[in-house]
Amino acid sequence: MPGFNVSDFEAKVLNGRVEHRFSDNLTLTSRVLYGDYDKLYRNAFPVTPVTRGGVQSVGLEAYSDPTTRKNLLNQNDLVWRVTTGPVRHVLLAGFEISDQRTRNQRINGFFGGGDIVNGGRRVFVGLADPITVPPVTLRTTPNTGYRSIRTNADAAAFYVQDQISIGDHVDLIGGVRRDRFTLNVDDLVAGQSYRRTDTLWSPRVGVVLKPVQPVSIYASYSRSFLPQSGDQFSSLDVTSAALEPERFDNYELGLKWDIRPTLNLTAAIYQLDRTNTRAADPNDPARTVLTGAQRSKGLEFGLSGAITPQWQISAGYALQDATIRKTTSAAPAGREVPLVPKQQASLWTRYDLTPRLGPAPVSTTSRKASRPSATPPSCPPSPASMPPHSSSSPPRSRRKSTSRICLTAIISRPPTTTTTSCPARRRRCAQRLE
């Protein structure tokens, strides 16, 4: 509805990084991020079939959903490179802490005139071009469906990992991470509070084979979790507060082929098992139990880089199948998981006509599109990230204990017509207001 429907997002983000090199082989890096996010989604939308009693009309409802969020995250990594005989190790140990505070409201709209029902909560309007909609009033009074919640999510984690290189053709990776996640939710309308704490272990193992110089073949397994409060950690009630987190086990096999130094091809097949999904208890529909299970299988292809010095390309294709593995009261085993695209494809290309002119037409096709988040600029490369014989790198004999500091500030406000969604499948949604 013009003048009422809006999607607005504003982000103020400050990134900082401090790096200290104790020696050529031992580095400590500390990163901090502070984010202040403000999102407003206001919508009037159809909720009934087009016809009602033979009259060409449609029922409309409206609401506003404002959210504010503040994030503070700190991550610390200690990396030690050491050689034991013919075996090289890259040892990683670190910890991170985070605090996320969110305030969310759901304010229902009421129509002041016309063919209204439900006390003005819904209005029926005739089909026309344009549709005339009565004025909408947003109410926060009791018994209007008003929701107001305040959440505080605190997380602390530590992790260790060892990347072992055996000769020039085999890499082994093994690691484990322990998370302690606490969520407090205050229902400001009902005057109730809920709390849940989870302590979780997440292993990761993998192997990389390099049979020839431009080709790498890898296999990996990893585990992750999602609290029952959802990927935005914004909802918790007496039922979900008693439930274990959902669990994700991902198995993947893939390869990377550097067709040329500036162009690479990637391919992967994967299986993602999801367990601890919620379903109604068949013996007591009022209860919720963790009996559900889903499995996604698929393959992905990607091509990125420069075909020629003037021609750049980034293309991808994914095929996946997601099915329900255990019968619940919600769905039988074997049924497809809804809202999962069978195929996805993307294509971006650019050709530089001159050193200063390069148009970049974009062509994308997908059954379910998602917008990638803007990535903040990173710190300049440190001496440790440069090649050993780079002219920008000081001689080894002159390298001593050094420190580097980098700060990045970002203020972002996309157009109000932009809507966003979290990336699909295996990628975890960043805990911003996406």
Side-chain angles (χ1 to χ4, degrees):
M1 184 176 71
F4 184 84
N5 288 11
V6 64
S7 177
D8 187 36
F9 174 69
E10 182 174 355
K12 302 180 182 72
V13 180
L14 177 65
N15 283 285
R17 188 180 80 174
V18 177
E19 180 180 291
H20 183 74
R21 291 173 54 84
F22 297 96
S23 66
D24 290 340
N25 299 322
L26 186 62
T27 303
L28 175 65
T29 304
S30 181
R31 301 175 180 86
V32 64
L33 179 146
Y34 174 77
D36 188 337
Y37 310 98
D38 193 346
K39 178 182 178 182
L40 173 64
Y41 188 72
R42 195 170 61 208
N43 190 29
F45 59 100
V47 293
T48 69
V50 171
T51 59
R52 176 175 178 257
V55 179
Q56 292 291 311
S57 63
V58 64
L60 302 179
E61 293 184 0
Y63 70 94
S64 178
D65 195 311
T67 304
T68 59
R69 174 170 296 164
K70 290 180 172 62
N71 282 354
L72 180 62
L73 301 95
N74 175 239
Q75 178 179 341
N76 302 273
D77 295 330
L78 182 66
V79 178
W80 183 30
R81 295 174 172 83
V82 60
T83 300
T84 55
V87 178
R88 302 185 304 276
H89 297 261
V90 179
L91 296 167
L92 166 67
F95 70 92
E96 64 181 55
I97 55 175
S98 64
D99 179 78
Q100 175 178 288
R101 300 177 184 269
T102 304
R103 176 71 187 276
N104 173 257
Q105 295 174 283
R106 167 83 177 215
I107 310 171
N108 286 325
F110 289 79
F111 299 91
D115 185 5
I116 59 175
V117 296
N118 299 339
R121 181 74 181 87
R122 181 178 299 174
V123 64
F124 286 87
V125 297
L127 294 181
D129 188 14
I131 293 178
T132 301
V133 180
V136 182
T137 301
L138 299 172
R139 298 180 184 174
T140 60
T141 53
N143 302 319
T144 61
Y146 173 58
R147 180 190 70 204
S148 179
I149 61 173
R150 180 176 57 214
T151 68
N152 184 15
D154 293 313
F158 70 85
Y159 44 89
V160 292
Q161 177 180 286
D162 187 9
Q163 178 176 327
I164 305 171
S165 298
I166 305 173
D168 296 327
H169 301 288
V170 179
D171 287 345
L172 302 177
I173 300 173
V176 66
R177 175 187 173 103
R178 183 183 186 274
D179 289 88
R180 179 180 173 85
F181 178 77
T182 300
L183 177 65
N184 295 279
V185 176
D186 298 322
D187 187 333
L188 302 180
V189 176
Q192 296 178 328
S193 298
Y194 306 96
R195 175 187 176 93
R196 179 172 177 87
T197 299
D198 291 294
T199 301
L200 307 165
W201 291 92
S202 303
R204 177 193 180 202
V205 293
V207 59
V208 180
L209 304 178
K210 306 171 186 177
V212 292
Q213 181 62 33
V215 177
S216 298
I217 303 172
Y218 71 90
S220 68
Y221 163 78
S222 62
R223 179 187 300 166
S224 60
F225 297 87
L226 178 65
Q228 296 291 345
S229 54
D231 58 9
Q232 293 294 316
F233 307 146
S234 60
S235 63
L236 203 63
D237 54 30
V238 67
T239 298
S240 57
L243 300 177
E244 295 291 329
E246 292 187 26
R247 172 174 159 174
F248 300 84
D249 292 276
N250 188 68
Y251 307 84
E252 188 165 337
L253 178 66
L255 67 86
K256 177 183 177 183
W257 176 25
D258 293 329
I259 302 174
R260 52 190 306 170
T262 59
L263 183 67
N264 65 75
L265 173 71
T266 59
I269 58 174
Y270 67 89
Q271 174 180 298
L272 176 66
D273 289 332
R274 178 182 180 183
T275 54
N276 279 356
T277 59
R278 288 184 281 180
D281 188 342
N283 299 318
D284 183 2
R287 294 182 63 247
T288 300
V289 293
L290 298 180
T291 60
Q294 300 174 5
R295 171 170 289 178
S296 300
K297 293 182 177 181
L299 57 88
E300 296 178 336
F301 296 97
L303 179 68
S304 63
I307 299 176
T308 69
Q310 295 80 27
W311 186 10
Q312 301 177 42
I313 190 172
S314 176
Y317 173 76
L319 175 67
Q320 67 175 333
D321 178 62
T323 58
I324 296 172
R325 298 188 62 209
K326 288 186 179 180
T327 298
T328 66
S329 58
R335 177 177 293 181
E336 291 187 355
V337 178
L339 302 179
V340 176
K342 282 284 189 182
Q343 301 184 64
Q344 292 179 289
S346 64
L347 173 64
W348 177 92
T349 186
R350 165 176 170 164
Y351 190 85
D352 294 334
L353 301 177
T354 71
R356 301 184 62 181
L357 178 63
V362 178
S363 173
T364 61
T365 58
S366 174
R367 285 187 55 188
K368 182 179 179 183
S370 62
R371 182 184 64 83
S373 303
T375 302
S378 60
C379 294
S382 66
S385 66
M386 298 179 183
H389 303 290
S390 168
S391 58
S392 302
S393 179
R396 289 186 178 272
S397 60
R398 295 174 55 190
R399 292 182 186 174
K400 299 180 180 179
S401 175
T402 59
S403 299
R404 303 176 68 252
I405 299 177
C406 175
L407 293 176
T408 304
I410 302 171
I411 298 179
S412 172
R413 185 169 188 143
T416 58
T417 56
T418 301
T419 58
T420 64
S421 62
C422 290
R425 195 171 66 74
R426 297 166 292 155
R427 300 173 180 84
R428 295 188 59 186
C429 300
Q431 296 311 313
R432 305 186 308 170
L433 296 182
E434 289 295 294

